[in-house]
Amino acid sequence: MVTMKIEVGKAKRNGGVPVYIRLTQGREHKRIRFYMDANQRDVSENGDILNIKLEMAIQDEMQMYRRKLYDLGADVENMTLDELADYLVNNKEKKVDAFKLDFIKFGREHVEELLKQGQGKKKTAQGYNTAINNFCKFLGKDTLDINKVTKALLVEYMKWLSDNNYGPRASEAYMGALQSLHNLAKKRYNDEDDGLTYIKLSPFSTLEFKRTKAERSVKSKDVKERQTLSPEALLYMYNIPMGMLTQRGAMARDAFFLSFGLCGMNAIDMMMHKQKEGCDEGLIEYYRQKISGRCGEDAFIRMHVHPFFMDIHRRLRGARHTWIFAEKYSDEGTLTAALNIGLGNVKDAAVMYYGKQFDLDPLTNRNEILNRIGLNDNFTFYAARHSFASIASNECGVPEEIVDKCQSHVSRSVAAAYYIKKDYSYTDNTIKVVVERVFGK
C-alpha cells in the first residue's frame, strides 16, 4: 500500500521553500518535488502549508497521483517505490508546458515583500512598483503570463517609451526593473537540480537597453546647455497667454515655474509632498527622494513659495497632497512624461505667439522663432532645476556651495552635521534674488 503526505524542505537563499509529495511504501520513502515553491510566510514552524490556494494545488496533484495508482491496480504491489515515482511523474514535460505564472502579480507580491522588510527597502520597492505600473499602462491590462514576456514584446515596449517621451534614463530604469523581476521568477520556479525549467525564455539576454559609460557621462556640456534657459527665455515662456495652451500645457508650465521657484524641486518630490497641518501656506519642507536613503538629514530642505509664484501654487493645490500630481498620475515616470508632453504644447504656443510678433510664418520658421526667444525643442521639465542653479550662480553671484545646498547636492562636514545649528534662510534668500533677476519682482 502506498500513502502520500505533504512535506516541506529547507528554505533556499532566494526565499523559496521547496515542497514535496512524500510517498511511503512499507518502510521506504520517496519524495517527488512539487512544481511550485512556497514562500516562507506560507509555511508554519511545524511545516504545515498556510496558503490555502497552494495547499489545494498540492492536493489536486496528489489526487491525480492516486487516480494513476488506482489505474495500475494490483501491479502496484509488484513495483518498487522508485518505479512508482517515475510512473507518476512520467508526463513531467507536459506539466512544464502547462506552467502558468502571472508576471505582474509576481512583481507586485515581490514589492509587498520588500515593503515588509522596512524602510531600507522602501526605495527599491518604489522603483519596482513604478516600473510595473508603467509596463501595465503599455499593456493596457494588469495581468500577463510570464511566458508571454518575449523579446518582441519588450522591443515594442521600448519603442512605446520613446514615442511617449520617456528619456533613456527612465527607459533603462524600467527595463532593468523588469529584467530583475524576470530573473527572480526564474530563480524561484526553475530547478536545475531536478531538471525542471518552467520559465524557458530569456528575453532580456540579447536586448541592449543599458546606456554605455560614454552615454551616461553625456550629462556634461551638451546636456547642461540644452537644459539651461536664460532669464530672457524664461520670461518669454512665462508671458505666453494662458488661452493659447492646452489644459496639459498650462499645468506643465505652472509646474515648471513652481519647480523653478522652489530651487528646482524635482517632479517626484512635488508629486509626493504633503504639507504639515497648521503650517504656513507657503512653507515647503521635504526630504529629497533621490538621496534621502543614503544622505539622511543632508537630504532635508526648507523654503517658502515666493509671493510671485503663490497664484501658481494655489492653482495646483491637491486634495490629499500639496499639489495635484499624485492624484492625476500613478508614478513619477508617468508624471514626467505628461509634463514633457505639456511643455511640447508650450513650445508650439510660443512659436505661434511670437511668430506673429516677429512677422514670421510659424510653419516654416519654427527653429528661428525658438532661437530668437532662447528656447529649444529639446529642453524638458528638468530644465527648471538646471536653469535655477545656473542663473543663481552665473547671473546673481550666489556662491556655488549655497546653490548646492539649495538643491541638496552637498554633504556636510562633521561640524555641520553635529554642532552647527541649521539655518535654511539661504534658500529663501537665493530664491528672492533669482526671481528678481528673471521677473523683476
Side-chain angles (χ1 to χ4, degrees):
M1 180 180 177
V2 179
T3 60
M4 303 179 196
K5 66 174 293 187
I6 301 173
E7 186 172 290
V8 298
K10 293 183 179 179
K12 298 189 293 186
R13 289 183 180 179
N14 62 17
V17 179
V19 179
Y20 301 91
I21 296 174
R22 175 173 161 172
L23 307 179
T24 301
Q25 187 180 46
R27 294 186 178 182
E28 293 183 349
H29 307 287
K30 179 74 176 180
R31 297 194 303 176
I32 298 176
R33 179 73 175 268
F34 187 60
Y35 63 87
M36 184 183 298
D37 286 353
N39 291 318
Q40 290 185 16
R41 66 175 183 273
D42 294 334
V43 180
S44 72
E45 294 181 357
N46 298 326
D48 295 325
I49 302 295
L50 302 177
N51 187 310
I52 301 299
K53 289 184 178 180
L54 177 60
E55 183 178 14
M56 289 177 65
I58 301 169
Q59 291 292 351
D60 288 344
E61 187 87 343
M62 292 169 67
Q63 188 61 30
M64 182 184 72
Y65 288 169
R66 291 188 181 98
R67 286 195 297 269
K68 284 190 170 187
L69 292 174
Y70 179 80
D71 291 338
L72 283 174
D75 288 342
V76 172
E77 302 300 324
N78 300 320
M79 297 172 68
T80 66
L81 202 54
D82 285 338
E83 289 173 338
L84 285 172
D86 287 340
Y87 168 73
L88 294 176
V89 298
N90 66 4
N91 63 342
K92 184 184 298 182
E93 282 303 312
K94 184 177 180 182
K95 179 166 290 297
V96 170
D97 291 340
F99 175 79
K100 299 289 184 183
L101 177 68
D102 186 337
F103 181 57
I104 305 300
K105 182 179 178 183
F106 173 83
R108 296 200 188 285
E109 288 176 349
H110 182 64
V111 169
E112 291 178 6
E113 290 171 6
L114 289 173
L115 291 173
K116 288 177 181 177
Q117 295 177 33
Q119 193 68 23
K121 295 290 184 180
K122 183 177 179 181
K123 192 166 185 179
T124 303
Q126 288 175 338
Y128 279 125
N129 196 51
T130 299
I132 293 168
N133 288 340
N134 186 266
F135 192 46
C136 287
K137 184 177 180 181
F138 157 71
L139 294 171
K141 58 183 180 179
D142 292 322
T143 181
L144 180 68
D145 186 337
I146 195 166
N147 289 312
K148 298 287 181 65
V149 181
T150 62
K151 181 179 179 180
L153 178 70
L154 295 173
V155 169
E156 189 179 344
Y157 174 51
M158 291 170 66
K159 183 179 183 303
W160 179 86
L161 288 170
S162 177
D163 291 345
N164 284 275
N165 294 306
Y166 291 91
R169 181 177 175 181
S171 180
E172 180 181 6
Y174 293 157
M175 291 293 291
L178 295 178
Q179 182 182 35
S180 295
L181 289 172
H182 198 273
N183 289 338
L184 284 171
K186 294 183 77 169
K187 284 182 180 180
R188 178 169 297 182
Y189 293 106
N190 288 353
D191 195 321
E192 295 181 1
D193 293 339
D194 285 352
L196 299 179
T197 308
Y198 297 110
I199 305 170
K200 297 179 179 180
L201 299 179
S202 298
F204 294 89
S205 60
T206 57
L207 268 182
E208 295 183 4
F209 62 86
K210 294 184 178 179
R211 294 171 294 166
T212 63
K213 285 187 177 180
E215 288 171 329
R216 288 172 182 270
S217 63
V218 171
K219 252 179 177 183
S220 49
K221 187 174 178 182
D222 177 57
V223 172
K224 287 178 182 176
E225 290 179 355
R226 180 159 40 94
Q227 296 290 9
T228 301
L229 303 180
S230 68
E232 294 72 26
L234 289 168
L235 198 56
Y236 274 119
M237 181 176 165
Y238 184 82
N239 286 331
I240 299 169
M242 184 73 78
M244 296 188 69
L245 303 175
T246 63
Q247 185 176 1
R248 179 175 284 182
M251 182 199 72
R253 185 177 66 173
D254 276 353
F256 183 94
F257 280 111
L258 183 60
S259 168
F260 178 81
L262 294 172
C263 301
M265 192 172 183
N266 285 331
I268 182 61
D269 296 313
M270 295 176 74
M271 182 178 191
M272 303 307 295
H273 191 269
K274 290 184 178 181
Q275 279 187 313
K276 296 178 181 177
E277 290 186 15
C279 74
D280 294 341
E281 181 186 11
L283 176 63
I284 304 298
E285 297 177 311
Y286 69 99
Y287 286 88
R288 190 176 167 217
Q289 296 263 336
K290 185 176 180 180
I291 62 170
S292 60
R294 64 179 186 271
C295 295
E297 289 298 317
D298 285 337
F300 182 78
I301 191 165
R302 176 188 296 144
M303 65 195 80
H304 290 81
V305 177
H306 190 282
F308 182 74
F309 296 112
M310 189 58 73
D311 285 345
I312 292 177
H313 170 60
R314 289 168 180 159
R315 275 201 301 270
L316 294 175
R317 291 293 289 186
R320 297 182 300 276
H321 291 73
T322 305
W323 300 294
I324 59 173
F325 309 117
E327 294 155 29
K328 291 177 68 71
Y329 302 99
S330 59
D331 54 65
E332 177 193 6
T334 307
L335 168 61
T336 302
L339 291 173
N340 288 334
I341 291 171
L343 289 175
N345 170 250
V346 173
K347 298 167 196 174
D348 293 340
V351 171
M352 297 296 294
Y353 182 63
Y354 292 110
K356 187 175 182 180
Q357 292 190 18
F358 301 150
D359 197 24
L360 292 172
D361 183 354
L363 296 178
T364 57
N365 296 280
R366 180 183 179 88
N367 289 337
E368 183 179 347
I369 296 168
L370 289 175
N371 287 336
R372 280 203 191 187
I373 62 177
L375 297 179
N376 64 72
D377 252 337
N378 297 315
F379 86 87
T380 66
F381 181 77
Y382 202 61
R385 187 171 181 85
H386 276 274
S387 301
F388 180 88
S390 296
I391 293 170
S393 179
N394 300 331
E395 303 274 343
C396 302
V398 178
E400 288 187 8
E401 60 268 24
I402 296 299
V403 177
D404 280 337
K405 290 171 71 175
C406 286
Q407 297 192 327
S408 296
H409 282 163
V410 68
S411 295
R412 297 171 295 160
S413 65
V414 173
Y418 295 102
Y419 306 123
I420 300 176
K421 182 181 178 181
K422 298 171 188 175
D423 178 5
Y424 295 96
S425 60
Y426 58 84
T427 54
D428 290 338
N429 292 336
T430 303
I431 291 169
K432 182 179 179 181
V433 297
V434 170
V435 170
E436 186 173 347
R437 170 63 185 87
V438 177
F439 302 102
K441 303 294 182 180

